[in-house]
Amino acid sequence: MSSEANLQNTRRKRKDWIDALRAMAMFFVVLGHQIKGKTAFFVFTSPIKIPLFFMITGYVFNYNRKSTAAFFKNLFFKLIVPWLCLTVPFVFFTSPSNWAAAVPKGLIDILTGVVAWYMPCCVLAEIVWFFICKLCKKPLLISLAACTIALAGYILSYFHLLDFAQINTAMIAQFYILFGYLFKLFEKKIARLNWIHLSLLAVLYIGLGILSLILWPDTYIDVHNNFYYCYPLTIAMIIIGCFTVFAAAGRVGEKESFRMPRIISFLGQNTIVYYLMHSRNISLLTFALSLLHIELPFVVLVCCKMIAAYVLCGIEAAIILRVCPWILGRKRIPSKKSKT
């Protein structure tokens, strides 16, 4: 009984630190949408934020699931339903007289990734990864297949082929998902690294970022558009950056004395709400400021936008979880009264 409790405790902690990684990556995404043009910020965060999300997918992927039907059922309720429920209703937020033109275009934009590009890309990436694992099975074959598909995806994106619904980007994402898979595979060996090793990796990452700013001062990685300005440097930053934050989070999260703040867990478990809703919530603040004829300094405005986004998205996520949790792929939690 004791060993079973310890196992459950370990799983809980692992989920907590994974949630923290999701929360961190989403913070970079939301903040990045507010400070476009600030090159230094993107140079240091772009190699981490989107690749880290895919790496987490490779790490938490259920490799024991053999049934194709079970996989698609889980994908539908955990990813597709939240995506569509949090985007499709807003297509109708226009004059009914414009529905004939606006609604079909809005739906197509959602499904093809013109709006919220990461969602169709993530769905396709998980489908591709599932069949890679199902067909290849052995780690070496999985690695070769994932790298081959990622390379093919980059070649296709270079010639702007299969841009539709981010298909080529989903192919490239197999490399990031593979990285998470390999991290999980060699997790025990990676756990032997101490803080000195991780600190050296962090210093190396910062050094590569500074080198990037010196040699390529006006550019940065753009995963959305599959732009990698210097292959050796950008790949090195992605691998070193994601590996370092992943390993550091794991070391902290696995400590018996560590307790993840509930707010961080909440943010990490509801990143899909923050991703799909933050722009609309920020637009409410922008509209209010324009009505009041208030102009704020850039830094103050960014801070206000971030606060508005996180507060409103948090409220929306809490309401959804209380009223209709199925929208986020969750089951309704019985109340204390019903338990008693």
Side-chain angles (χ1 to χ4, degrees), residues 48 83 116 154 182 199 224 243 298:
I48 294 177
W83 166 33
Y154 182 79
L182 293 176
S199 298
H224 177 197
F243 178 88
F298 177 76

Side-chain angles (χ1 to χ4, degrees), residues 47-340:
I48 294 177
K49 54 185 180 183
I50 300 302
L52 187 59
F53 273 120
F54 285 116
M55 184 179 175
I56 291 171
T57 296
Y59 182 86
V60 303
F61 199 85
N62 185 357
Y63 295 97
N64 295 322
R65 183 183 289 116
K66 305 298 182 182
S67 169
T68 302
F71 164 74
F72 278 100
K73 179 181 178 181
N74 182 74
L75 185 72
F76 179 77
F77 287 107
K78 294 296 180 66
L79 198 58
I80 296 176
V81 168
W83 166 33
L84 297 181
C85 285
L86 295 177
T87 53
V88 170
F90 293 96
V91 171
F92 298 90
F93 282 21
T94 183
S95 173
S97 61
N98 296 329
W99 280 4
V103 171
K105 182 181 182 304
L107 294 176
I108 292 173
D109 286 348
I110 289 171
L111 295 175
T112 59
V114 175
V115 176
W117 71 271
Y118 178 79
M119 299 309 300
C121 179
C122 186
V123 170
L124 292 173
E126 288 204 23
I127 293 173
V128 173
W129 180 252
F130 172 76
F131 283 107
I132 287 176
C133 295
K134 188 177 181 64
L135 297 174
C136 296
K137 298 179 181 179
K138 295 184 178 180
L140 179 59
L141 294 178
I142 290 173
S143 300
L144 290 174
C147 289
T148 301
I149 292 174
L151 179 60
Y154 182 79
I155 294 172
L156 290 170
S157 71
Y158 183 83
F159 293 102
H160 297 287
L161 299 173
L162 295 183
D163 287 338
F164 179 81
Q166 304 292 322
I167 295 175
N168 48 28
T169 307
M171 294 171 68
I172 296 173
Q174 300 310 302
F175 176 75
Y176 309 136
I177 299 175
L178 172 65
F179 196 29
Y181 166 75
L182 293 176
F183 190 99
K184 187 178 184 66
L185 195 64
F186 298 102
E187 189 170 18
K188 291 183 179 179
K189 293 182 178 180
I190 294 171
R192 298 172 187 170
L193 296 175
N194 57 39
W195 287 111
I196 295 177
H197 298 133
L198 297 180
S199 298
L200 290 174
L201 287 173
V203 170
L204 178 58
Y205 179 81
I206 293 171
L208 292 174
I210 294 173
L211 180 64
S212 175
L213 286 171
I214 295 172
L215 299 179
W216 295 274
D218 299 319
T219 189
Y220 52 85
I221 297 171
D222 187 345
V223 174
H224 177 197
N225 295 308
N226 302 315
F227 177 72
Y228 305 86
Y229 54 90
C230 173
Y231 304 125
L233 181 62
T234 55
I235 292 174
M237 289 190 71
I238 290 170
I239 293 175
I240 294 171
C242 291
F243 178 88
T244 303
V245 297
F246 223 93
R251 282 188 65 86
V252 174
E254 294 296 339
K255 289 183 177 180
E256 290 293 332
S257 59
F258 178 76
R259 292 293 180 270
M260 182 69 65
R262 293 183 64 183
I263 183 64
I264 301 299
S265 296
F266 179 83
L267 294 175
Q269 291 170 13
N270 296 286
T271 50
I272 194 167
V273 176
Y274 288 84
Y275 175 65
L276 294 174
M277 300 295 293
H278 75 271
S279 294
R280 293 187 176 91
N281 290 332
I282 288 173
S283 66
L284 294 176
L285 172 65
T286 305
F287 178 70
L289 293 175
S290 64
L291 284 180
L292 298 173
H293 302 288
I294 297 176
E295 293 186 7
L296 300 174
F298 177 76
V299 175
V300 176
L301 180 61
V302 169
C303 291
C304 290
K305 286 181 176 181
M306 292 296 291
I307 293 171
Y310 271 80
V311 170
L312 294 177
C313 285
I315 294 172
E316 290 159 354
I319 293 174
I320 292 172
L321 290 172
R322 175 58 70 93
V323 178
C324 44
W326 59 268
I327 287 180
L328 298 181
R330 315 277 180 80
K331 295 181 179 179
R332 187 181 298 275
I333 300 175
S335 62
K336 293 182 179 180
K337 292 182 179 179
S338 62
K339 290 181 179 179
T340 55

